[in-house]
Amino acid sequence: MIRRPKLSSRWNPRRLTAGAPAFAACVLLAFAVPALRAEMVLDIPIHAAGYGSAFFEETARRFETMRPGVKVRLYGDPRIADKVRVRAMGGNYPDATTAELAWPQLIAAGRVADLAPWLEGPNWEGDARWADTFSPGTLESWRLEGRTYGIPFACSIWTVFYNKKLFREHGIGEPRTWDEFLAACETLRTAGIAPIALPGMYLRSYGEAFLRAGYFNLAGQEGWRRLGALAPGAYADPKYIRAAALAQRIASRELIAGWEGLSHTGAQLIFLEGKAAMTISGSWFVNEMKGRIPAGFELGAMNFPVWADGAAEPSAIQTSSEYFFLFKTGDPERVRATVDFFRYLTSRERAEAFAKAVDSPVALRSVRPGAYSPLMRSTAEIIGRARDAYSAPPNMLVPPGLLQAMTDARLGLFTGKVTPRQYGERLERAAEDERNRGKNPDSVSVRHPVAGTLLLLAMAALAMALLWGKTMAGLCSKRGTQKSGTEAAAGTRPSLSKPGALGFAGPAFLLYGLFTLLPGLVALAWSFAHWDGLGEVRWAGLFNFKWLLFESDAFWLALRNNLFLVVVPALAVVPVSLSLACLIHRGVKGAGLLRAVLLFPNLLGGIAATLLWMSAYEPHGGLVNAGLASAGQWLGLDWLKGFAGHPWLSAQNLYWSMIPIYVWMACGFNLVLYLAAMEGIDQELYEAASIDGATPLRQFFSITLPQIREVVGISVVFIVIGGLNAFEMVWLMTSQDPTSETHTMGTLLVTTMFKESQIGRATAIATVMLVLVLGASALVLRHFKAGDEQD
């Protein structure tokens, strides 16, 4: 028997009541003491790419020892911008970041702190004005209307790296003028050496460095400011046209074969292997190629040449910096602590420590030449001689329409499709369009009236046809399924009650509606609005759809590319997969091994497979070109030898280069799908056909294909959906900067939303994509179903 404990006779409820205040005080004190001792935690995500984040994390730990009560949560990620963008759109801002965001919109919305008052104060050491410690020109990029919004730190100096040994062997001195530079290139070409290895996949930064250098030397700081401010006539300036002609001259004669398909690391490796005498890069080159520079390689760096009649300071250097931006958090103490961290980061000791750690310059005057390795001494000397500097306007400050126009026109200039004058005129028209759009943001310039109208009519006709077909099928089903009472009773199936069905499907539907349907409806609402993700949402009506269908050139080029990825891969994947599945089904020797080999690509995933093929497609040293050239050498076929240096990833070859990737990745999945369907076919059909004398080919078309027709239809739907939603493969192969000619609707959507901050336009693209995917999928399924009914 279990006895219950008796309550003490001394226990009294009044004592508990009387002690309640004391108990509450203890509880409050227990929570209050940690709160009083709580440390201020600064949230600073950074873009950790070429320089990593180790140095900045070490700096944060050092700062914490000097500022008790302050913790710095500093963390890095090469894709940090994607994460911080989502936070910014939700109003959840960090204290500071280097992520590439829509800073002009954030500044206009009053979300970014003006650092000018702090820059007028002392530096970390307290012996100089903080603004005076930065290198010339580095603060200018984000100095807008008298306010300074960005603090530069990691700084890159664009130079021409060259092979000193090759130059010496061919009697070439370091060129000082563009005429001397072109003469040196002529000497190298005569000797059978490619003058320059240029990464054609990154023309926006690497290729345009020549144009920027040529123009700044001719126009000086005043002309440079006019260009950045989109002043009327700036791009049509004869000086800008002359600089564009220089860039085209270099691209047409001085670049290594296949440069259009070179990545930046590919171009640098070609240079280090001695296949080219020069390459263009920022000063991160040495750190990026650490461990790959051959022993004894004599690396030289020279500033860009100048024109004999140039107006700017000849020693001026071309720079680009990574900036820290500070958000307004509403807490002056947090802002002060964050600025204090910036002051420590830009101190003399930290600046020199960074230069030693990553062997790359910083945007500060205090770093001594001895802080760099011998490989960086030439760059350090260029910096020491510089009396002026200029920096390309950050992409975030370039209007979206002009940014895309520059990407398209630049490719045309470097590939010779447009003349230098046409290049300048195109950019001038794009700049004028942006100025006009600023005056009348709701205007639509109708450029595709016929195509836009036809697409609208086609989507409407498709919707009506599908609805009409469904209605007629329902009526026929009702008329053709009249049964007797006995048959109806025999065919009756047990069914759940409404509460039971709700209990089974309700929770799943609730989650689906919460995480899929509701966001979809919100996105649909955004497509009828003007919104940059930060400011106020304004009603736009059908403006975004009108702009998309009737004005946007990029949309129609993207739709063309999507249709290519729908049709051409299907024509290759379906026959190949069917043939292989049929061979395995018939028990070909080695069927198990063949199945495993074909399924392997599906284990990699799209991104990994794309990166693998990008390496294989490298023009020089890639597996594809090396294999084709070797086969041509062995077979004596000159046309195969010509593939050496072929630029598979250039804009004109990109989509045809993707077909082998699609076949390689999709055949395994479709093969399994078809094979599973073939296993369900009655073998007696094949036996009867064999007795009747039917050949295996006749059996395939008369038995196999009709029996698996529905499965083939499903696989085609998958290919259609994949083609219309194509994104990651194109995004990676275009280095995340597609031209209008290489965009798909997926890449255009991401560019519009995250690079241009046009949420309404981006969701309008998503809506059109949804309609096209649903319509095309339903049409394909209906076609195959109609074929089954006829059979």
Side-chain angles (χ1 to χ4, degrees):
M1 180 177 178
I2 300 175
R3 297 181 179 180
R4 297 181 181 178
K6 294 182 179 180
L7 293 174
S8 173
S9 59
R10 296 180 181 179
W11 180 81
N12 191 334
R14 292 182 180 179
R15 293 181 182 179
L16 181 61
T17 305
F23 178 76
C26 292
V27 173
L28 289 175
L29 186 61
F31 282 97
V33 170
L36 291 172
R37 294 180 180 176
E39 296 171 314
M40 180 187 297
V41 180
L42 303 180
D43 184 19
I44 307 179
I46 66 169
H47 176 237
Y51 302 116
S53 61
F55 170 82
F56 298 98
E57 291 173 2
E58 178 199 350
T59 301
R61 304 292 79 80
R62 287 170 174 262
F63 178 75
E64 290 169 354
T65 63
M66 301 177 187
R67 293 291 184 270
V70 177
K71 288 288 185 182
V72 181
R73 182 173 172 261
L74 189 147
Y75 50 98
D77 189 331
R79 307 295 303 165
I80 198 67
D82 297 334
K83 301 175 183 179
V84 180
R85 281 190 194 108
V86 176
R87 290 181 58 180
M89 290 174 63
N92 178 22
Y93 302 105
D95 291 287
T97 185
T98 60
E100 185 174 316
L101 305 179
W103 292 114
Q105 290 89 333
L106 287 165
I107 291 170
R111 305 293 186 184
V112 186
D114 175 20
L115 297 167
W118 303 95
L119 289 165
E120 292 299 318
N123 62 342
W124 178 257
E125 293 80 6
D127 56 4
R129 191 172 71 110
W130 191 19
D132 293 336
T133 64
F134 292 92
S135 300
T138 54
L139 287 171
E140 297 300 320
S141 293
W142 287 102
R143 184 168 284 164
L144 308 173
E145 299 179 356
R147 296 180 174 87
T148 304
Y149 295 101
I151 293 293
F153 184 70
C155 182
S156 299
I157 312 300
W158 285 90
T159 57
V160 179
F161 287 94
Y162 67 99
N163 188 324
K164 288 184 177 181
K165 182 180 179 181
L166 280 178
F167 270 49
R168 185 172 59 251
E169 289 175 349
H170 293 87
I172 303 172
E174 189 173 297
R176 301 295 181 186
T177 67
W178 286 113
D179 288 337
E180 293 175 0
F181 181 84
L182 296 176
C185 291
E186 181 72 25
T187 301
L188 291 166
R189 277 191 289 105
T190 303
I193 302 170
I196 305 169
L198 181 76
M201 295 175 64
Y202 294 88
L203 283 180
R204 179 180 63 185
S205 49
Y206 290 81
E208 196 162 316
F210 286 112
L211 195 153
R212 292 193 295 262
Y215 176 70
F216 179 83
N217 182 246
L218 289 171
Q221 289 288 3
E222 180 59 32
W224 192 253
R225 280 191 289 269
R226 293 186 71 252
L227 195 71
L230 303 186
Y235 286 102
D237 186 345
K239 296 174 182 177
Y240 191 76
I241 303 301
R242 183 178 172 187
L246 169 70
Q248 190 175 67
R249 163 71 168 76
I250 292 173
S252 63
R253 301 187 61 182
E254 317 303 350
L255 302 184
I256 192 168
W259 64 270
E260 301 96 327
L262 280 176
S263 64
H264 68 291
T265 53
Q268 291 166 4
L269 288 174
I270 285 173
F271 164 66
L272 293 176
E273 291 167 0
K275 297 178 182 177
M278 293 177 280
T279 191
I280 178 79
S281 181
S283 48
W284 61 76
F285 172 85
V286 173
N287 183 62
E288 192 171 48
M289 291 289 107
K290 188 178 296 183
R292 298 183 179 183
I293 300 177
F297 187 89
E298 297 182 44
L299 180 67
M302 59 179 164
N303 201 3
F304 287 95
V306 298
W307 301 99
D309 56 345
E313 166 61 43
S315 65
I317 53 177
Q318 185 176 156
T319 66
S320 61
S321 299
E322 192 167 54
Y323 289 82
F324 282 88
F325 296 88
L326 191 151
F327 285 98
K328 289 182 179 179
T329 59
D331 185 349
E333 290 300 321
R334 296 186 70 86
V335 173
R336 188 178 294 108
T338 308
V339 171
D340 213 23
F341 174 71
F342 288 166
R343 289 172 61 244
Y344 176 62
L345 178 65
T346 56
S347 64
R348 283 192 286 269
E349 183 271 329
R350 286 288 83 195
E352 190 152 315
F354 179 83
K356 290 179 179 178
V358 301
D359 212 11
S360 187
V362 290
L364 295 153
R365 300 172 183 265
S366 57
V367 180
R368 298 167 299 175
Y372 302 105
S373 71
L375 291 172
M376 282 291 293
R377 295 290 164 78
S378 297
T379 302
E381 291 172 2
I382 293 172
I383 297 171
R385 291 194 300 264
R387 298 181 181 178
D388 199 358
Y390 59 101
S391 178
N395 290 328
M396 297 85 81
L397 289 176
V398 180
L402 179 59
L403 191 63
Q404 186 64 58
M406 291 175 70
T407 300
D408 299 342
R410 186 186 304 117
L411 179 63
L413 177 72
F414 275 76
T415 55
K417 294 181 179 179
V418 299
T419 66
R421 184 167 298 280
Q422 291 171 335
Y423 171 76
E425 290 172 351
R426 287 189 181 187
L427 295 186
E428 186 63 33
R429 284 196 301 270
E432 185 178 0
D433 289 343
E434 290 300 319
R435 291 191 293 268
N436 294 335
R437 193 178 302 281
K439 299 175 184 177
N440 187 8
D442 293 327
S443 63
V444 174
S445 176
V446 179
R447 298 177 183 172
H448 306 278
V450 177
T453 303
L454 289 177
L455 182 59
L456 284 174
L457 292 175
M459 289 191 294
L462 179 61
M464 291 179 64
L466 293 174
L467 289 174
W468 175 258
K470 188 174 181 180
T471 302
M472 293 303 296
L475 291 174
C476 292
S477 177
K478 287 181 180 180
R479 293 176 182 175
T481 56
Q482 299 295 329
K483 298 181 180 179
S484 64
T486 304
E487 292 174 336
T492 301
R493 296 180 180 179
S495 60
L496 287 172
S497 63
K498 289 184 179 179
L502 185 62
F504 274 104
F509 181 77
L510 181 63
L511 292 175
Y512 180 76
L514 185 62
F515 294 106
T516 303
L517 295 180
L518 184 59
L521 292 174
V522 172
L524 180 62
W526 286 346
S527 66
F528 297 97
H530 288 297
W531 189 39
D532 59 8
L534 302 169
E536 295 182 358
V537 180
R538 294 190 299 108
W539 176 254
L542 295 174
F543 168 79
N544 292 318
F545 293 97
K546 289 190 292 184
W547 173 85
L548 198 65
L549 298 178
F550 295 103
E551 179 177 344
S552 175
D553 298 328
F555 169 76
W556 288 103
L557 291 170
L559 180 59
R560 179 198 67 183
N561 292 332
N562 280 110
L563 292 177
F564 178 91
L565 294 178
V566 166
V567 176
V568 179
L571 295 177
V573 170
V574 173
V576 172
S577 300
L578 277 172
S579 301
L580 293 172
C582 192
L583 288 174
I584 294 175
H585 177 60
R586 287 188 168 272
V588 68
K589 188 176 181 179
L593 177 62
L594 182 62
R595 186 186 309 190
V597 169
L598 292 171
L599 275 176
F600 172 73
N602 295 94
L603 303 177
L604 294 176
I607 294 177
T610 302
L611 293 175
L612 184 65
W613 276 88
M614 287 177 67
S615 176
Y617 274 144
E618 279 286 340
H620 299 272
L623 180 64
V624 175
N625 283 351
L628 291 173
S630 298
Q633 185 75 25
W634 184 60
L635 297 173
L637 300 175
D638 291 336
W639 66 274
L640 279 178
K641 296 178 186 177
F643 278 101
H646 185 71
W648 292 98
L649 299 181
S650 62
Q652 63 268 27
N653 298 326
L654 180 67
Y655 279 89
W656 287 107
S657 302
M658 291 168 63
I659 302 305
I661 308 178
Y662 266 91
V663 173
W664 186 69
M665 292 180 62
C667 275
F669 172 78
N670 287 281
L671 179 146
V672 172
L673 202 65
Y674 299 153
L675 192 58
M678 290 177 185
E679 296 293 342
I681 300 175
D682 190 350
Q683 292 299 315
E684 292 181 358
L685 296 175
Y686 291 108
E687 293 173 3
S690 298
I691 293 172
D692 290 338
T695 63
L697 186 63
R698 179 64 181 272
Q699 292 177 26
F700 174 78
F701 285 104
S702 299
I703 300 174
T704 307
L705 195 56
Q707 292 289 324
I708 66 169
R709 182 186 181 93
E710 187 174 352
V711 175
V712 173
I714 293 172
S715 73
V716 173
V717 168
F718 286 148
I719 294 174
V720 168
I721 293 174
L724 290 174
N725 289 335
F727 168 71
E728 67 267 10
M729 194 182 297
V730 178
W731 190 248
L732 290 171
M733 288 186 165
T734 57
S735 305
Q736 304 173 33
D737 187 28
T739 64
S740 294
E741 292 183 353
T742 55
H743 262 306
T744 63
M745 287 188 290
T747 60
L748 183 62
L749 186 156
V750 172
T751 300
T752 305
M753 175 167 281
F754 293 116
K755 289 189 176 182
E756 301 177 3
S757 296
Q758 298 286 345
I759 309 301
R761 292 183 184 179
T763 49
I765 296 172
T767 302
V768 173
M769 287 177 64
L770 176 64
V771 172
L772 291 175
V773 167
L774 291 177
S777 301
L779 192 63
V780 170
L781 287 175
R782 183 169 179 76
H783 168 73
F784 280 92
K785 186 176 180 181
D788 286 340
E789 292 173 353
Q790 291 175 3
D791 293 340

